[in-house]
């Protein structure tokens, strides 16, 4: 009954008459994904890798980041952007979880379980990144009233415990990805495998090796929902996204204002004639290319010679060496691990023809100075003219994929001293049909050294394998280096070496406490209850 | 026992003894008579009011042949009166009633034979006829004029001059849901009557009241034709809910734009809580009551007004000419380490032709204003019709305003107990512009005045707008910016804003029992708005490019946007009034309930890619831009209200108001608010001890306290709304699925903002009201002010809830002084009003201080204070800079900031209040003279202690090197020697001020001003000249608005004022993107047939 004074908005639904039906909850859960898909927020997270010695630049927003978070202050804009974005995911998930178990809700059990599982998964995902980036964070698990908003930070251990508990529930509620694959409209939503994989990853981050082993083993050897995509490049191409290797991706679509502008920020500059050319924020270093062996399994090293200005960027000269008799120092990037060409733009890369074939563009060219720095750009997600506008790229971003899980599993096995088994999983990643790199066993022969039997060597190799496989996709390099505690050493070593003729003026101010990001200053203004991380 | 000895009797067909008993009851007189005399006299009718005993006796005995005499409080009947042996023969008296000053005939003046029921009204020529005896007295009453009595002598023809009473004690004032005598007021009320309203040439009624009332600040914020005026009553008290007063046209919500000034009878401003409280939740910012002209009994009176004139800038801008502009650009570039553009063959000296863009943009523009009013009726049927037309072209080329309005007022007395009426108005206005933009995204030609290089001609020989010449880099910048030259804008823009509004009311009033009336009023309004914004294709070419092959700059596609909106509002009022006098007790009570509802829709669509510049309807566009809008927020309001006025012996006045409002903008259960007020008055002058003080004709002290609400509260702040426009993608193929989530956090407890006002007032009238004074002091405190709460990001909502936490205080005083007198035929009057208001934000409830551009609102400061660095001239030498706190990059010739906190550096901590655009004092002085047919009136109006932060006349808005600047800043600029030290000048060096949004006191100017707001000289032609033309009255006049202005302000006009921060227009750019206020001179004539 509506009396004379009752009035409700005409162009909005209202919370009081929402959260009743299956449709309501479907749209509300979609709202969580919408927060995930918001452009220029989480879609910038792949740029996190530029903090490592393996890539640079980043211009304004990532300027401080580029220098290895030297001199980052609590006013750093990206620390606020990601904080806001992840808490938005938390908030929208909380709204769903607050209401979905109400008695008056009319919803089928299948839908209820899936939607609740999705909300739990997405909230866990958010807290995973929040607690690993910022340390102790407010653990908010329901919608807060105005009077309750000023909450203090919770200990990381509490947050992690909540993530684990939620993911354990989520994996029982969520359907297998195989169901989504048959019901194509649902593809892209969180699945049982996603929850298990994330849980496994959480255990790995927490160094809870036996639990990690058990969970990742379920994904790999029990459920067997995933397998490696034969063509490495297909992982980053819209036409083949959500493929069999995909465990969880942020979905983007062009033309309906549901794309991302990462392409615009990461692509080489316009001189490359790529139709989506951009600002080139992600510039892999020569240190990064050095990680890729020759196809015969020999390592390659480089020596810096010079850096000269060329236009607004620089041209670099390096000399390269390798024991591989097939290696030609004048074509240093030829005959290398195929993933190099699919991860890094370099001068006259053979990838150009592949790129032109896939995009239908012609005249594409790549010279060192098309990069703002370091002479290279990233290849991943740079998908040419499939999108309508450069700021509306349809390419999904891969948060978790099967190769990541295999390597996490291998890492776990190494830590459990099961190196031979670990080697098999590393080999499976290296021997993806399109990559087909020598196995660890072959490398031992070629390089004439012991790897598998040596836990230290295995650790180092696994780390490098992760760098090779997972760079510039979703901050894996950055997050791995932090959790392995190699970030500080690597980054100081990198800048101290001054290999590229550049220097980092902030070098002296590097502070290992910056492993944790600052709680954004604006947030602390609004919520005085929040303490700051040390070092800021 | 004391009696007032005034008698009121209304008896029909009774014997005299009944009358005498009644007189005895009301007085302390005794009667001496015989029953025979009573019987002989027969039945009489008596109808007298407030009469003396003599008058009463004369009337009741007039038909009896009896006389009387009084002996020591005893009345003795005389069977054969000695003084009037026989009734004198009645004779026909004829005459004319004329306005004493204007000599215009007065229509509808009521003429009463004193002590009798005999009455008549003057006709449309001011004529009247009445039968009377010599010695009897005629009483002439006319609203707004002094009552005049004339004793009839032997003459049979009487010509009467009535004098207008500008503010007299007998004035009737419109108040909420009724009228009252000014003497009975206990609240602070200001009024303006038709005679003053007619004096200003204004398309907006708001401007017509400017400077005429204390406590009311009216600002003409824009000179755009048809633009409204900004009205503030006693300061500002709200950040979020608006500060404009409630405007009621004939008791119904409306706006000052809704009525033609010629249709208005009076405007009342209810300033304090006592006066305004009857409007409860909407009255916090004051209430303006506009009352339109009603029909008057009498033969039809036809009045016609025609006014024509011209408008122009109040002050012509003084920008640099071509050579000096080029010198400025050179100097500025050199200062910033760049090479000058204008050298050798293009040196400034070689520039012999240039465009004064302000000459191109501004013009002298005509205005015409016509009004026809017809007025007439009988005792039972009255009507008034008004038709008006205004055409005002703007002083900026391409701007034009048209308005047509018509209104009908009709009242009918159905029986002597039932009256009904209808009021119907239609107003249509249209504003078109081919040069200024409606939305900021379009090129703003006004900016072009300073942004466009003067060396570019307005038009090239090819007829297209002038273009930068390829070899003149100093001109080039226009090509790559969205700032276009005024001529380009004028060629491509075509914007139209049209509004139709129909509104009116129906009423019926019934007398139930004596003193008790019931009134039903039904109000309604429908408004249609239509906006059209057209931007055409354009291209400009170098003069050398005769074949038009390579455009230097172009807009490749045309675009069109249409916005249509319809909204309606209706209201039903049920009013019960009770007015009775019981001896010396006067009671006037009101009880009412009302319901109001508003709703509407909006449609907004745009397209681009039109085939050419001729097809300008949406259907012709190829690419859909956007479809937006689609709704208008509805609201409903229910109200119950009551008022009681009680006065004892006309001396002690008490009033209490209460209103309970329920509004749809709040959560169910929290919708009601109660707003009480109380006031009291003491008419000291009525006391017997004051009677010896003959000089004091009126003295009243009054006090009031009350609470008012501010109802401009955003709808649905109480409820969490879920945005339904977003989507997320899933699936293979990927499709966009609806993704819903709430955006704004709700506050279920949101409630009314409450303003508590205390007012103390004094009214004084001296020398028979020749000198009057009215003064008030007040304290207005707004509590529970609505603010947007700041919430942490962890809350997840994009916007915080609206919460009631702030507190604002306005304290002030206001005075009004008036003197009027005459020396024979020479009448003169003067009035002066002065208002002072001090505004302070008392509490923000923990919410962060609000900062928008340079406007800061923080605890302890006035709302919207200018906030920035204090400056101390300019740096003169590098040594001086090094020796003092400075900003990095400071060089001689730049503005020097003051290190206020003495920490040896210039940081944000040195920022302070650098001014306020709210004047501390607002004043007006009005003088009027008339002699025979000539009348002169002049109105001075001013604001004092007001600042304005202006950016652009300095050429400091980011394109500082290229923009034109006011000559003042060129003539006084710092000149540097070869070492880069300043050798002369007081203002920054050319190029030293950058538009980097660093607000400082350097940008703040004193915008105090005093101006001749209005000057009018009129002449009413002698009757003898016009009588042959069958014209009753003809007055011709000349009128000037904003004629002279005294100010230190550099810029177009000091009256233009920034609006409150809402959207982008947070501060004035020195009149560079605000439409300058105009000066106008018009000639007019008023004819009455």
């Amino acid at each position: 009954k509506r009396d004379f004074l009752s009035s409700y908005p005409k162009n909005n639904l209202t919370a009081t008459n929402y959260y009743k039906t299956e449709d309501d909850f479907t749209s509300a859960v979609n709202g969580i994904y919408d927060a995930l898909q918001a452009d220029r927020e989480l879609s910038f997270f792949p740029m996190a890798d530029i903090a490592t010695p393996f890539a640079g630049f980043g211009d304004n927003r990532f300027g401080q980041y580029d220098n290895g978070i030297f001199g980052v202050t609590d006013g750093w804009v990206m620390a606020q952007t990601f904080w806001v974005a992840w808490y938005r995911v938390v908030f929208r998930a909380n709204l769903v979880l607050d209401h979905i178990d109400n008695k008056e809700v009319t919803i089928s059990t299948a839908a209820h379980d899936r939607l609740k599982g999705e909300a739990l998964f997405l909230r866990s995902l958010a807290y995973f990144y929040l607690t690993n980036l910022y340390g102790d964070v407010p653990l908010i698990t329901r919608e807060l009233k105005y009077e309750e908003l000023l909450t203090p930070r919770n200990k990381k251990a509490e947050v992690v415990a909540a993530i684990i508990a939620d993911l354990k529930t989520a994996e029982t509620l969520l359907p297998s990805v195989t169901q989504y694959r048959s019901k194509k409209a649902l593809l892209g939503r969180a699945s049982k495998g996603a929850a298990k994989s994330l849980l496994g990853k959480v255990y790995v981050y927490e160094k809870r090796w036996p639990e990690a082993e058990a969970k990742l083993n379920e994904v790999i050897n029990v459920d067997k929902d995933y397998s490696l995509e034969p063509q490495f490049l297909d992982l980053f191409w819209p036409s083949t996204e959500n493929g069999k290797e995909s465990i969880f991706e942020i979905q983007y679509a062009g033309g309906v204002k549901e794309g991302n502008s990462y392409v615009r920020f990461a692509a080489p500059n316009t001189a490359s004639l790529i139709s989506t050319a951009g600002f080139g924020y992600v510039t892999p270093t020569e240190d990064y290319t050095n990680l890729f062996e020759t196809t015969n399994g020999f390592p390659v090293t480089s020596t810096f010679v010079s850096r000269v200005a060329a236009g607004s960027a620089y041209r670099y000269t390096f000399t390269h060496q390798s024991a591989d008799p097939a290696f030609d120092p004048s074509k240093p990037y030829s005959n290398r691990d195929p993933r190099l060409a699919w991860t890094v733009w370099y001068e006259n890369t053979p990838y150009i023809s592949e790129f032109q074939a896939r995009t239908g563009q012609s005249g594409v060219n790549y010279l060192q100075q098309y990069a703002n720095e370091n002479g290279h750009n990233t290849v991943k997600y740079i998908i040419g003219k499939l999108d309508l506008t450069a700021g509306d790229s349809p390419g999904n971003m891969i948060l978790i994929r099967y190769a990541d899980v295999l390597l996490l599993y291998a890492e776990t096995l190494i830590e459990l001293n099961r190196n031979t088994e670990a080697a098999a999983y590393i080999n499976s990643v290296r021997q993806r049909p399109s990559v087909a790199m020598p196995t660890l066993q072959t490398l031992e022969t070629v390089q004439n050294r012991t790897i598998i039997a040596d836990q230290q060597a295995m650790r180092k190799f696994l780390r490098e394998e992760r760098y090779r496989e997972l760079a510039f996709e979703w901050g894996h390099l950055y997050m791995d280096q932090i959790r392995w505690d190699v970030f500080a050493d690597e980054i100081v070593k990198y800048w101290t070496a001054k290999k590229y003729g550049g220097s980092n003026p902030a070098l002296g101010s590097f502070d290992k406490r910056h492993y944790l990001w600052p709680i954004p200053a604006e947030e602390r203004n609004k919520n005085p209850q929040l303490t700051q991380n040390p070092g800021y | 026992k004391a009696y007032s000895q005034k008698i009121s009797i209304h008896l029909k067909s009774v014997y005299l003894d009944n009358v005498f008993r009644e007189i005895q009851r009301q007085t302390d007189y005794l009667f001496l008579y015989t029953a025979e005399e009573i019987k002989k006299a027969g039945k009489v009718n008596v109808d007298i009011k407030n009469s003396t005993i003599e008058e009463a006796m004369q009337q009741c005995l007039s038909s009896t042949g009896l006389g009387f005499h009084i002996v020591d409080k005893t009345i003795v009947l005389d069977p054969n009166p000695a003084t009037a042996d026989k009734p004198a023969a009645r004779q026909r008296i004829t005459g004319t009633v004329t306005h004493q000053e204007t000599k215009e005939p007065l229509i509808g003046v009521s003429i009463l034979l004193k002590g009798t029921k005999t009455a008549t009204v003057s006709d449309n020529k001011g004529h009247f006829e009445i039968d009377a005896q010599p010695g009897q007295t005629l009483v002439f009453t006319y609203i707004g004029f002094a009552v005049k009595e004339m004793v009839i002598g032997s003459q049979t023809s009487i010509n009467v001059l009535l004098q207008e009473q500008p503010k007299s004690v007998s004035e009737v004032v419109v108040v909420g849901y009724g009228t009252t005598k000014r003497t009975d007021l206990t609240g602070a009320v200001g009024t303006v009557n038709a005679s003053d309203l007619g004096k200003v040439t204004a398309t907006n009624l708001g401007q017509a009241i400017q400077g005429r009332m204390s406590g009311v600040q009216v600002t003409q914020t824009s000179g755009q034709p048809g633009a409204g005026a900004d009205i503030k009553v006693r300061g500002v008290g709200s950040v979020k809910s608006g500060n404009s007063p409630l405007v009621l046209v004939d008791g119904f919500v409306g706006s000052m734009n809704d009525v033609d000034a010629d249709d208005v009878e009076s405007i009342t401003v209810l300033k304090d809580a006592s006066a305004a409280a009857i409007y409860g939740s909407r009255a916090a910012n004051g209430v303006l009551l506009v009352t339109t002209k009603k029909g008057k009994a009498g033969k039809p009176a036809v009045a016609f007004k025609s006014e024509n004139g011209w408008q122009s800038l109040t002050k012509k801008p003084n920008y640099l000419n071509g050579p000096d502009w080029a010198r400025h650009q050179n100097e500025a570039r050199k200062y910033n380490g760049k090479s000058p553009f204008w050298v050798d063959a293009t040196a400034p000296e070689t520039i012999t032709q240039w465009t004064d863009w302000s000459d191109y943009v501004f013009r002298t523009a005509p205005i015409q204003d016509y009004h026809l009013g017809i007025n007439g009726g009988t005792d039972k049927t009255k009507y008034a019709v008004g038709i008006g037309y205004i055409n005002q072209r703007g002083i900026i080329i391409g701007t034009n305003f048209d308005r047509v309005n018509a209104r009908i007022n009709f009242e009918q007395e159905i029986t002597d107990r039932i009256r009904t009426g209808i009021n119907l108005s239609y107003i249509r206005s249209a504003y078109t512009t081919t040069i200024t933009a409606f939305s900021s995204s379009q090129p703003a030609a006004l900016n072009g005045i300073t942004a466009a290089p003067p060396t570019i001609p307005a038009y090239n020989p090819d007829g297209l707008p002038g273009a930068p010449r390829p070899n003149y880099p100093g001109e080039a910048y226009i090509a790559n910016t969205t700032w276009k030259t005024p001529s380009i804008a004028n060629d491509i823009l075509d914007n139209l804003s049209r509004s139709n509004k129909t509104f009116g009311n129906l009423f019926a009033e019934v007398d139930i029992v004596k003193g008790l009336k019931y009134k039903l009023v039904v109000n309604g309004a429908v408004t249609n708005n239509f906006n059209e914004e057209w931007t055409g294709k354009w291209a400009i070419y170098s003069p050398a490019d005769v074949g038009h092959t390579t455009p230097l700059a172009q807009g490749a596609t045309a675009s069109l946007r249409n916005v249509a909106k319809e909204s309606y509002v209706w209201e039903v009022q049920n009013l019960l009034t009770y007015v009775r006098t019981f001896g010396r007790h006067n009671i006037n009570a009101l009880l009412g309930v009302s319901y109001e509802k508003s709703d509407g829709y909006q449609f907004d669509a745009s397209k681009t890619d039109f085939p050419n510049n001729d097809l300008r309807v949406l259907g012709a566009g190829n690419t859909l831009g956007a479809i937006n809008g689609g709704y208008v927020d509805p609201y409903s309001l229910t109200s119950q209200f009551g008022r009681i006025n009680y006065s004892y012996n006309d001396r002690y006045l008490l009033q209490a108001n209460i209103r309970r409002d329920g509004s749809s903008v709040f959560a169910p259960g929290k919708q009601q608010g109660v707003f009480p007020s109380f006031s009291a008055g003491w008419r000291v002058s009525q006391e017997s001890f004051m009677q010896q003080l003959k000089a004091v004709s009126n003295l009243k002290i009054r006090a009031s306290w009350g609470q008012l609400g501010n109802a401009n509260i955003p709808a649905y702040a109480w409820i969490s709304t879920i945005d339904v426009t977003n989507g997320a993608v899933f699936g293979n193929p990927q499709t966009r699925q609806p993704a819903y989530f709430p955006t704004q956090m709700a506050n279920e407890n949101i409630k009314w903002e409450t303003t508590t006002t205390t007012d103390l007032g004094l009214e004084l009238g001296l020398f028979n009201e020749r000198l009057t004074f009215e003064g008030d002091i007040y304290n207005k405190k707004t509590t529970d002010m609505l603010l947007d709460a700041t919430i942490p990001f962890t809350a997840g909502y994009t916007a915080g809830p609206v919460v009631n936490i702030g507190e604002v205080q306005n304290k002030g005083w206001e005075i009004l002084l008036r003197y009027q007198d005459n020396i024979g035929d020479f009448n003169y009057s003067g009035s002066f009003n002065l208002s002072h208001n001090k505004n302070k934000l008392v509490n923000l409830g923990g919410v962060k201080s609000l900062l928008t551009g340079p406007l800061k609102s923080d605890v302890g400061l006035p709302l919207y204070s200018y906030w920035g660095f204090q400056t101390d001239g300019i740096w003169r030498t590098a040594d001086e800079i090094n020796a003092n706190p400075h900003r990095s990059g400071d060089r001689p010739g730049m503005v020097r900031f003051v290190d206020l906190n003495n920490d040896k550096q210039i940081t944000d901590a040195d920022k302070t209040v650098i001014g306020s655009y709210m004047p501390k004092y607002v004043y007006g002085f009005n003088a009027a003279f008339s002699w025979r047919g000539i009348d002169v009136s002049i109105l001075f109006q001013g604001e004092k202690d007001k600042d304005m932060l202006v950016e652009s006349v300095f050429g400091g808005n980011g394109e500082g090197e290229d923009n034109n600047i006011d000559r003042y800043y060129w003539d006084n600029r710092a000149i540097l020697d070869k070492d880069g030290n300043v050798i002369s000048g007081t203002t920054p060096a050319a190029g030293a001020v950058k538009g980097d949004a660093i607000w400082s006191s350097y940008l703040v100017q004193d915008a105090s001003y005093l101006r001749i707001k209005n000057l009018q000289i009129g002449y009413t032609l002698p009757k003898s000249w016009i009588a042959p033309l069958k014209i009753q009255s003809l007055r011709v006049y000349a009128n000037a608005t904003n004629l002279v202005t005294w100010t230190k302000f550099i810029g177009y006009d000091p009256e233009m004022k920034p609006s409150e921060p809402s959207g982008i227009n947070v501060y004035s750019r020195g009149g560079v993107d605000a439409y300058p206020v105009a000066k106008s001179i018009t000639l007019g004539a008023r004819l009455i047939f």
Side-chain angles (χ1 to χ4, degrees), chain B residues 696-772:
Chain B
V696 179
S697 45
N698 179 34
L699 174 61
K700 183 160 81 180
I701 299 167
R702 50 182 168 72
S704 76
W705 175 90
Q707 291 188 317
L708 305 166
N710 188 341
N712 299 318
I713 290 163
Y716 313 126
W718 63 276
I719 194 169
S720 192
T721 53
I722 293 177
D723 192 308
V724 294
T725 58
N726 286 277
V729 287
F730 301 98
N732 184 14
Q734 282 173 316
T735 54
R736 189 176 186 269
Q737 311 283 337
Y740 298 169
F741 49 85
T743 48
Q744 167 151 338
M745 191 167 195
N747 172 15
E748 272 202 28
N749 295 319
I750 184 171
K751 61 184 177 191
W752 304 93
E753 284 187 347
T754 303
T755 298
T756 306
T757 305
T758 316
D759 184 289
L760 268 175
L762 176 79
E763 292 168 24
L764 181 65
L766 296 176
F767 318 121
N768 197 23
E769 297 300 291
R770 278 203 290 274
L771 179 65
T772 56

Side-chain angles (χ1 to χ4, degrees), chain A residues 74-290:
Chain A
D74 62 358
W76 178 40
V77 59
M78 292 320 289
Q80 180 171 317
T81 302
F82 294 131
W83 174 275
V84 172
W86 282 121
Y87 268 108
R88 197 176 296 141
V89 171
V90 169
F91 165 66
R92 294 189 193 167
N94 283 341
L95 288 170
V96 171
L97 296 168
D98 281 351
H99 296 100
I100 198 162
D101 289 324
N102 286 351
K103 283 195 188 69
E104 64 272 23
V105 173
T106 53
I107 189 167
S108 69
T109 310
H112 167 273
D113 290 356
R114 172 173 60 79
L115 292 167
K116 184 177 177 182
E118 287 179 77
L120 286 168
F121 169 80
L122 293 168
R123 188 170 74 184
S124 304
L125 186 72
Y127 276 123
F128 174 76
Y129 285 96
L130 282 168
T131 199
N132 280 299
L133 294 174
Y134 302 91
D136 299 345
V137 293
L139 177 65
I140 300 167
T141 53
R142 61 178 175 84
E143 187 193 359
L144 297 180
K145 291 187 184 346
Y146 176 61
E147 312 80 69
E148 304 171 323
L149 288 176
L150 305 187
T151 53
R153 298 166 73 182
N154 293 70
K155 290 277 169 232
K156 184 176 179 184
E158 289 175 60
V159 180
V160 171
I163 295 170
I164 291 171
D166 282 353
L167 286 173
K168 281 180 173 170
T169 313
E171 69 168 80
T172 64
L173 295 170
L174 286 167
S176 153
V177 72
T178 51
Q179 288 187 41
Y180 292 163
R181 288 185 188 138
S182 59
K183 236 186 199 171
K184 295 214 175 248
L186 296 178
L187 206 56
R189 309 186 79 100
S191 64
K192 185 186 294 289
K196 287 184 176 183
S197 302
L198 180 59
L199 182 52
K201 192 171 207 169
V202 171
Y203 287 136
V204 169
Y205 269 64
E206 294 303 304
K207 301 187 168 59
R208 288 160 70 164
W209 304 115
E211 286 160 298
E213 194 279 332
K215 191 50 64 182
L216 295 169
N217 184 55
E218 272 180 47
V219 178
I220 297 166
N221 298 315
V222 180
D223 296 347
K224 297 182 185 170
D225 289 340
Y226 306 98
S227 57
L228 292 169
E229 189 73 41
Q231 276 293 331
F232 185 76
L233 206 50
D234 284 350
L235 288 165
F236 310 102
W237 220 264
S239 53
T240 41
E241 61 198 11
N242 295 322
K244 56 188 178 184
E245 185 173 339
S246 165
I247 298 178
F248 190 72
E249 303 185 356
I250 300 183
Q251 310 288 312
Y252 294 103
V256 287
K257 298 198 166 144
E258 294 292 344
N260 70 68
S261 50
Y262 178 77
V263 170
R264 186 98 176 111
F265 283 78
N269 74 26
T270 49
S272 66
L273 295 179
I274 295 173
S275 71
T276 54
F279 311 131
Y281 271 21
V282 183
T283 57
T285 60
E286 206 62 23
D287 270 17
Y288 182 66
T289 65
N290 288 350

Side-chain angles (χ1 to χ4, degrees), chain B residues 144-164:
Chain B
F145 285 74
V147 174
K148 189 149 188 172
E149 298 194 358
M150 287 194 91
V151 178
I152 299 164
S154 54
Q155 77 275 41
T156 56
S157 168
I158 298 177
N159 285 319
V160 182
L161 295 171
L162 289 191
Q163 184 163 17
E164 211 173 331

Side-chain angles (χ1 to χ4, degrees), chain B residues 370-603:
Chain B
Y370 307 96
H371 187 265
L372 177 69
I374 305 169
N375 192 322
T378 66
D379 279 354
K380 298 197 186 303
T381 307
K382 290 169 186 149
Y383 65 91
V385 176
I387 299 166
Y389 172 69
I390 280 182
N391 172 255
Q392 181 182 9
R393 298 179 73 188
I395 56 170
I396 289 178
I397 53 169
T399 57
N400 185 54
F401 177 73
D402 272 293
R403 189 182 73 191
V404 181
N405 54 279
R407 59 182 312 284
I408 297 172
N409 173 282
F410 178 80
E411 287 177 29
Q412 176 70 43
E413 195 175 310
I414 292 174
T415 72
D416 56 2
R417 292 178 55 205
I418 301 176
R419 290 161 297 280
T420 61
I422 182 168
N423 243 319
L424 209 61
S425 293
Y426 170 76
I427 189 155
R428 176 188 171 92
S429 55
Y431 172 65
T432 51
T433 167
T434 64
I435 188 160
T436 53
F438 284 173
S439 54
S440 60
S441 60
Q442 291 192 2
L446 278 168
N447 287 287
I449 294 174
T450 49
T455 52
I456 295 180
Y459 290 96
N460 275 344
D462 60 9
L464 293 176
R469 293 164 287 178
N471 298 322
Y472 290 74
E475 298 175 351
Y477 108 103
I478 193 92
N480 289 323
T481 72
T482 52
W483 305 98
K484 299 176 173 62
T485 66
S487 53
I488 296 173
N490 193 27
D491 274 25
I492 62 172
L493 292 181
D494 207 345
N495 294 333
L496 160 73
S497 173
R498 191 165 65 213
S499 150
N500 285 295
K501 181 167 181 178
T502 309
F503 63 102
N505 62 54
L506 281 164
F507 78 86
E509 190 177 51
V510 183
D511 297 338
I512 301 170
V513 296
K514 187 172 178 190
L516 183 65
K517 284 179 193 163
Y518 165 75
K519 189 176 185 184
L520 171 72
V521 186
V522 181
N523 289 302
V526 181
T527 310
N528 284 287
N529 295 302
F530 178 72
N531 271 20
E532 182 168 285
E533 293 172 55
W534 167 265
T535 306
K537 287 188 204 184
W538 62 283
I540 52 173
Y541 302 88
S542 160
D545 184 2
V546 187
H548 289 180
T549 51
T550 318
L552 288 170
Q554 62 178 331
T557 59
S559 66
L560 176 69
R561 178 174 177 214
N562 281 172
V563 183
K565 181 176 159 183
E566 182 181 286
S567 59
Y568 69 82
V569 51
W570 60 256
E571 186 199 23
V572 176
Q573 297 172 358
N574 288 277
L575 307 172
L576 216 49
T577 53
Y578 185 65
V579 184
R580 273 301 285 273
T581 302
F582 302 100
R584 294 174 187 188
H585 308 275
N586 277 290
I587 288 173
N588 185 336
L590 165 76
L591 209 57
V593 291
S594 69
Y595 298 88
E596 184 173 328
K597 198 172 183 66
S598 165
D599 208 342
Y601 76 88
Q602 182 176 321
F603 189 78

Side-chain angles (χ1 to χ4, degrees), chain A residues 483-515:
Chain A
R483 77 184 166 95
W484 293 327
D485 189 17
V486 299
F487 184 82
D489 294 346
E490 296 272 347
I491 201 75
V492 172
K493 200 166 71 192
Y494 170 79
W495 281 110
T496 312
K498 292 189 180 176
K499 271 191 219 171
Y500 307 123
S503 66
N504 186 336
L507 183 62
S509 71
F510 179 76
D511 187 335
K512 202 166 178 177
R513 291 178 297 182
H514 288 186
Y515 274 10

